[in-house]
């Protein structure tokens, strides 16, 4: 297992809904917990993954996600079991949309 931490400063979009969990921890999938947190305008992301050695890919996916949403004062925890970058992006977007009340 590997734990990765990312912090993105100067976000502009604050989420105020109660914490949400989307996805499941299973082969090829992941679980995302998203919650408001006092982080001085930052978005903090902690990833626990079974796929060791993919930090650069995770960082690229997290940067892309943060550029789309510009989250502030948000904590995200990810439990991963080998999800592809596309699945990671899908679950992260789903988590934000659920917090916003826009989930299908």
């Amino acid at each position: 297992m590997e734990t990765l931490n990312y912090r993105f400063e100067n976000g502009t979009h604050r989420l105020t809904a109660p914490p949400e969990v989307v996805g499941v921890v299973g082969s090829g999938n992941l679980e995302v917990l998203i919650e408001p947190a006092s982080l001085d305008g930052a978005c903090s992301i902690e990833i626990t993954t079974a796929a060791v050695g993919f930090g650069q890919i995770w960082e690229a996916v997290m940067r892309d996600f943060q550029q789309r949403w510009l989250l502030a004062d948000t904590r995200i925890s990810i439990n991963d079991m080998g999800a592809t970058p596309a699945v990671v992006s899908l679950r992260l977007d789903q988590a934000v949309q659920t917090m916003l009340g826009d989930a299908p």
Side-chain angles (χ1 to χ4, degrees), residues 1-2 4 47-55 58 80-83:
M1 297 296 281
E2 183 174 19
L4 305 167
I47 303 157
T48 303
T49 179
V52 176
F54 293 91
W58 276 105
D80 172 59
M81 287 299 291

Side-chain angles (χ1 to χ4, degrees), residues 8-88:
F8 300 97
E9 304 291 338
N10 303 318
T12 57
H13 194 138
R14 286 174 175 77
L15 303 173
T16 58
E20 290 283 348
V21 176
V22 298
V24 295
V25 179
S27 181
N29 210 334
L30 72 157
E31 173 186 74
V32 176
L33 166 64
I34 185 169
E35 58 190 332
S38 295
L39 298 171
D40 295 322
C43 175
S44 171
I45 304 171
E46 180 178 272
I47 303 157
T48 303
T49 179
V52 176
F54 293 91
Q56 289 182 326
I57 294 170
W58 276 105
E59 184 175 358
V61 172
M62 295 305 103
R63 284 190 185 284
D64 180 65
F65 165 74
Q66 181 61 7
Q67 287 173 351
R68 276 195 312 280
W69 292 102
L70 296 173
L71 295 178
D73 292 326
T74 304
R75 178 178 296 119
I76 299 172
S77 301
I78 298 172
N79 293 314
D80 172 59
M81 287 299 291
T84 65
V87 171
V88 173

Side-chain angles (χ1 to χ4, degrees), residues 85-99:
V87 171
V88 173
S89 291
L90 173 77
R91 288 285 179 238
L92 286 167
D93 288 345
Q94 180 185 23
V96 174
Q97 290 168 344
T98 299
M99 291 279 286

